Every structure is written in C-alpha cells, then in structure tokens.
Amino acid sequence: MTHISATIETLVNKAIEKDLIEASDAVYARNQILGILQLDNFMEGASLIKEASIPDLLEILSQNAVERHIIEDLLDEKEKIESLIMNVFLSKPSEVNRDFYQKYNQSPVMATDFFYQLSKDSNYIQTKRIAKNIQFQTASSYGDLDITINLSKPEKDPEQIKREREMKQDIAYPKCLLCAENEGYVGRIGHPARSNHRIIEVPLEGESWFLQYSPYVYYNEHSIVFAKDHRPMKINRDAFSRLTAFVEKFPHYFIGSNADLPIVGGSILSHDHYQAGNYTFAMTKAEEEFSFTLHSFPDVKAAVVKWPLSVIRLQHPNRTTLVEAADYILNNWRAYTDTEAHIHAFSDDVPHNTITPIARMRDNQFELDLVLRNNRQTEEHPMGLFHPHEDVHHIKKENIGLIEVMGLAVLPPRLKEELDAIKKHLLDDSENVADYHQNWVQSMKKGHSSITKENVEQIVETELGKKFERVLEDAGVFKTTADGRQAFRRFIDHLNA
C-alpha cells in the first residue's frame, strides 16, 4: 500500500507542478483517484518517487489495478483507467475553451501553446510512446525529407484482438474516432479511452468545427481540425474557404486536407477533417520550378513547385480571390484527361481526379498548394497507377496521404528490426535479410565500395530516403521528366484555353 500511496501522491504533485490543478485541490484529486482504483486506504507521508514521469506513474497504477483484478490485463482496459485518472486533473471543456480564447485574445500562438502543453501534460498526447519513434532527415533532389519509423502505437495482444471480435456490437456512439462525441468518452474494448480528451471550438465559415491534437503526433503541434457533423470528406470550394479561414485565425499554422478519393485519400474518409500544425515540411521549402499566369485570375501568383508530386502553388493577399482560383483549377482537373500522360478523369462514371490542398500564410499573403492526384488502377499497377509501385512496397505500400505528400514518411514498425538486420548483413553477411529486401541490399553493396561500422547507419538511412523519394515520384501524376513537365504545361494550357 505504501508504494501505491507514494505513486498517487507523486502523481498529484506532478499535476500541481504542471499547473493542471492547484495545491488546494490535492486532497480532492487524491480521493478521486482512490475511488477510481477502488482503494479505501491511503498511507500519508510516503516518500515521493523521483525521476518518474506522469506516463510512468500511470503505468504503475494501471498495472496495480490489473494485479488486484480491478481491470483485466488488456491494453484498452489499462488505457481506460489511466485516462480516467488524468481526467481528475482536467478542467471541464467549457473552462478549457474559455482559457484558450482568453489567451487567443492576446496571441494565437499563446493559445495553441497553452492547449498543446495541456494535451501533453494530461497524457492525451502519448509523449512516452512517441519518444520510441525513429526519426531522421535525409537529403534528396527535392530537399531534406523527414523519415519516421512509427513505433508509438502499441501492438494489440491476441487476447485484446479476440475480445474485440467477440464484442462486435451494434454500437454507433461515437460514430467514429473523430466525432466531437469522443470528448470525455470513457472508452470500451475496440474504442479508445477519451476521458482526458478536450477539444476547442473553432468556427469556420459559419459552421461548427473543432481543434484537437493527435494523440500520436508525427510533427510539432500535429493537430486535427474536424467538422461537428459526421459527414464524408469532400474537396470543393467550401474546403478551400475553410482552410484559408483557419490560417487567417492561426497564421503560424499550416492546414491541409487529405484527398477525398480512395487510394489517394487518407485513412478516414468518413468524417470531414483536416490536419494542421506548426511545422515546416520539405514541400513548404521547395522552390518554384516555373511560374505561369492564370488568364482567368491574372493577379493571382501561380507556379509549379519543384517537387516529386505535381503541385501548383497559388498566392494572393485576398483569400476570396485565392479560393475562386483554386476552385477553378479543381473543377478543370476533375474533368481533365490526357491519355498520353495516362491520366483519365473517369472510368465509366467513377471519378479519378482530385486534389490534396495545403494552406498557409507566407509574407502576409494567403498561399495554397494544390497537389494534383489521380487514383486510377491498371492491370500492371492494381493498387494504383499513381501510388507506390510494387518495387518499393518493401518500404511503403500504404496510401500516400497529406503528411507523406508534404515530405514526411510514416513507415511501418517492422522496418526497425529489418533495417537492423540489413546493417548487420552489410557488415559481415551473417544476418538473414527478408526476401523482399534482397534486391535493395544488393544495390547498396554495389553502390558503396566501403561499408563500415562507422558509416553503415548513414548509408542505410540515405538509401531509405532515396526509396521514399521514389515513393513520392510514383505518386506524381506529371513526372519530373521532360515529358512529364511537357504534360504539366498541357494542363496549364487547358486551364487558360
């Protein structure tokens, strides 16, 4: 009992240090936690646990609950009780929103700084798990690409998976993981705990939208902006209006949307949402390859970006004008076919063309990057013609969504062990390497005459970056070759016809 009392007392003290509660709230918070853990007794005066973080303390408490048979030894059950404990230290949603907008009135940066820190301190953002991710940058023809091997999401054990299958029920609440109804939801098997979840209301163009941070942030202040209504994602004029309205409110953030078609879209197309944050991606820093004039919008600055995907960048000080220009390009692209470039707008009545848009403020002007996408499948490329091709599937075969489009690879966790095996194999041939990596390993051996303990990690990281560069080039509808650029100019001519 002494150890658990010390853990609770340390957690309460941590919450006071982080301004989640005040010192006068300590006894109340302690008693609430005792109730959640079904403990009647508490040993006062126990020594605090040094060098323990909030996630560490929560793990001790949830494991103790397992050992006392308060909860089952399942990931979802442990997350539920940890989320309930942290909710003890959090203000109600109305109070969090009030604090946010009091700070916003001083500075949008101050407001998002407050909410981001709150989301980390409350353990909603899983800082301990995120720290496990492998992250580095690697040079490419298009600038420094970000590489992340995603190790933050814990793997479900067989019992958890079995329980989820058994508990498949007709539960439609919340309708999905993005719905506003997740705020404060205790969770269940198969649906994550959200007791410590808070969202900020951010009205956009007369609609109710909300801001939250991703529990597993892939970049600084990785946030999700989502509609109150549970409705499918749609790229249209209204989307461009909302994106530019958001950066007008939060000029230090970018915001973008996944495309709205399968294969080229994101993982959740059922709920209208965007992703935002305070980070500068390689695509943002990419140079203009050539500029052009849009005859219908001569005062809008337009350029093609030097990037593996096909990007038109628009700039204008008036966001309404910019939105009109973007909508004009979208409508033309949706109907555009160029058989020489293998671009077909439709198969029968099934649409293939759409856009991944990204908005930001730059030099006091609104800026929109319009990434042209096409999801057509062929016999040779059944997963998608403008999708990572089969020879790079050993690295990445999932959808190329908004984050990858901008130059940040989110790669599967299997690569950690596989890359370690490749490094050992390159040094002394002693380690077995997965069959699907064999060609890649042989090309590394041929391309590097001297591989040593000192340079093997750099070599593998550089070669991984080259593979991701290829992934992005596969996703480009107009290739970066001379023929591809000529095809891009044909589309621009079409816009000006």
Side-chain angles (χ1 to χ4, degrees):
M1 186 64 216
T2 304
H3 179 58
I4 289 305
S5 295
T7 305
I8 293 170
E9 195 70 358
T10 306
L11 181 61
V12 170
N13 274 270
K14 289 278 183 186
I16 294 169
E17 285 174 18
K18 293 185 178 295
D19 293 325
L20 292 173
I21 59 171
E22 297 180 18
S24 58
D25 298 320
V27 172
Y28 164 84
R30 172 205 299 167
N31 287 334
Q32 290 294 302
I33 295 168
L34 290 173
I36 292 167
L37 294 171
Q38 297 182 31
L39 292 168
D40 297 322
N41 196 15
F42 182 83
M43 304 285 291
E44 296 194 71
S47 299
L48 299 182
I49 303 171
K50 295 178 181 178
E51 308 300 325
S53 67
I54 285 177
D56 294 334
L57 297 166
L58 291 171
E59 285 176 13
I60 294 170
L61 295 177
S62 62
Q63 187 57 40
N64 177 263
V66 170
E67 291 165 3
R68 292 186 298 109
H69 307 291
I70 303 302
I71 60 171
E72 294 183 77
D73 191 7
L74 296 174
L75 173 66
D76 282 0
E77 289 293 320
K78 287 186 276 192
E79 289 193 335
K80 275 173 63 177
I81 203 164
E82 290 174 11
S83 179
L84 280 168
I85 291 168
M86 288 312 298
N87 187 49
V88 169
F89 304 118
L90 285 176
S91 301
K92 289 184 174 64
S94 59
E95 295 164 345
V96 174
N97 272 260
R98 184 172 63 243
D99 291 346
F100 179 91
Y101 277 106
Q102 282 176 350
K103 289 173 171 56
Y104 181 89
N105 289 335
Q106 298 175 67
S107 153
V109 174
M110 190 180 293
T112 53
D113 282 352
F114 153 75
F115 188 45
Y116 191 52
Q117 192 63 47
L118 177 71
S119 300
K120 289 190 290 184
D121 291 342
S122 67
N123 202 47
Y124 179 74
I125 294 177
Q126 299 284 330
T127 53
K128 184 175 179 179
R129 293 178 186 170
I130 293 160
K132 298 176 183 177
N133 289 345
I134 296 170
Q135 296 176 310
F136 57 90
Q137 287 192 330
T138 180
S140 81
S141 312
Y142 309 96
D144 291 338
L145 302 176
D146 290 299
I147 308 293
T148 296
I149 298 176
N150 181 19
L151 304 173
S152 58
K153 291 187 181 179
E155 293 187 25
K156 295 179 180 180
D157 60 51
E159 180 59 30
Q160 168 92 18
I161 296 167
K162 176 173 172 279
R163 191 67 58 86
E164 285 185 23
R165 286 176 182 152
E166 288 172 353
M167 294 191 67
K168 285 290 180 191
Q169 304 169 38
D170 247 355
I171 300 176
Y173 182 87
K175 293 186 178 72
C176 78
L177 296 176
L178 291 181
C179 284
E181 288 76 16
N182 283 283
E183 186 175 39
Y185 188 66
V186 173
R188 61 178 187 267
I189 295 293
H191 193 102
R194 292 290 182 258
S195 295
N196 59 338
H197 179 37
R198 298 294 183 268
I199 60 180
I200 301 296
E201 188 162 2
V202 181
L204 295 175
E205 303 296 80
E207 285 190 340
S208 287
W209 283 68
F210 297 94
L211 167 72
Q212 69 171 68
Y213 289 104
S214 169
Y216 297 97
V217 293
Y218 290 132
Y219 53 84
N220 187 49
E221 297 176 54
H222 178 186
S223 42
I224 300 167
V225 180
F226 60 98
K228 181 179 181 181
D229 295 336
H230 179 77
R231 66 188 188 210
M233 285 181 60
K234 188 67 181 170
I235 301 300
N236 53 22
R237 188 189 188 285
D238 290 341
F240 300 141
S241 294
R242 289 190 288 266
L243 294 175
T244 52
F246 181 86
V247 295
E248 188 172 46
K249 289 175 184 280
F250 301 97
H252 60 299
Y253 271 20
F254 81 90
I255 186 169
S257 175
N258 276 303
D260 56 354
L261 292 178
I263 297 175
V264 295
S267 57
I268 302 179
L269 297 178
S270 60
H271 195 119
D272 209 358
H273 73 284
Y274 312 127
Q275 293 182 80
N278 188 4
Y279 188 70
T280 304
F281 291 86
M283 192 180 83
T284 311
K285 293 183 276 191
E287 301 172 357
E288 295 177 359
E289 191 172 330
F290 62 88
S291 58
F292 63 93
T293 300
L294 275 171
H295 293 170
S296 299
F297 303 90
D299 57 339
V300 172
K301 185 182 178 187
V304 166
V305 178
K306 186 184 177 186
W307 191 245
L309 285 96
S310 308
V311 185
I312 293 175
R313 179 166 290 165
L314 305 178
Q315 284 185 332
H316 199 272
N318 182 290
R319 73 181 186 88
T320 303
T321 302
L322 194 69
V323 166
E324 294 289 350
D327 188 47
Y328 176 79
I329 292 172
L330 172 66
N331 291 331
N332 275 272
W333 174 243
R334 287 221 190 261
Y336 186 72
T337 291
D338 182 341
T339 53
E340 191 178 335
H342 309 290
I343 295 166
H344 295 231
F346 294 91
S347 293
D348 297 324
D349 59 349
V350 178
H352 294 308
N353 289 347
T354 187
I355 278 175
T356 299
I358 301 103
R360 64 183 74 87
M361 298 297 297
R362 197 196 297 258
D363 300 329
N364 295 317
Q365 295 210 70
F366 291 94
E367 182 171 276
L368 269 173
D369 282 351
L370 306 178
V371 188
L372 308 178
R373 312 297 301 275
N374 177 288
N375 77 343
R376 191 163 75 90
Q377 297 160 285
T378 65
E379 283 188 25
E380 185 182 358
H381 299 291
M383 293 186 70
L385 177 58
F386 303 106
H387 179 85
H389 290 175
E390 194 171 356
D391 63 320
V392 294
H393 283 182
H394 65 110
I395 296 299
K396 176 81 172 176
K397 66 179 181 180
E398 297 82 8
N399 290 8
I400 302 305
L402 173 69
I403 295 173
E404 283 91 0
V405 162
M406 294 186 290
L408 191 161
V410 181
L411 302 178
R414 63 175 171 82
L415 281 177
K416 179 184 184 297
E417 291 183 3
E418 292 174 3
L419 293 179
D420 286 342
I422 287 171
K423 290 170 196 172
K424 290 176 183 175
H425 180 84
L426 289 171
L427 289 172
D428 58 18
D429 288 333
S430 63
E431 192 80 14
N432 288 328
V433 173
D435 289 344
Y436 46 76
H437 288 314
Q438 288 293 343
N439 290 340
W440 187 40
V441 169
Q442 293 309 314
S443 72
M444 277 192 261
K445 285 181 174 180
K446 289 178 184 176
H448 299 275
S449 56
S450 175
I451 301 178
T452 65
K453 284 183 178 178
E454 289 71 33
N455 69 11
V456 68
E457 185 164 346
Q458 183 62 52
I459 286 171
V460 171
E461 288 183 358
T462 299
E463 295 297 331
L464 186 62
K466 289 179 182 176
K467 281 287 181 179
F468 180 53
E469 184 177 342
R470 250 293 316 283
V471 163
L472 296 180
E473 287 174 340
D474 285 349
V477 293
F478 298 121
K479 304 305 179 187
T480 54
T481 60
D483 287 346
R485 268 17 204 172
Q486 190 175 6
F488 210 151
R489 289 182 184 275
R490 287 199 297 272
F491 176 62
I492 293 167
D493 290 342
H494 171 78
L495 292 174
N496 286 328

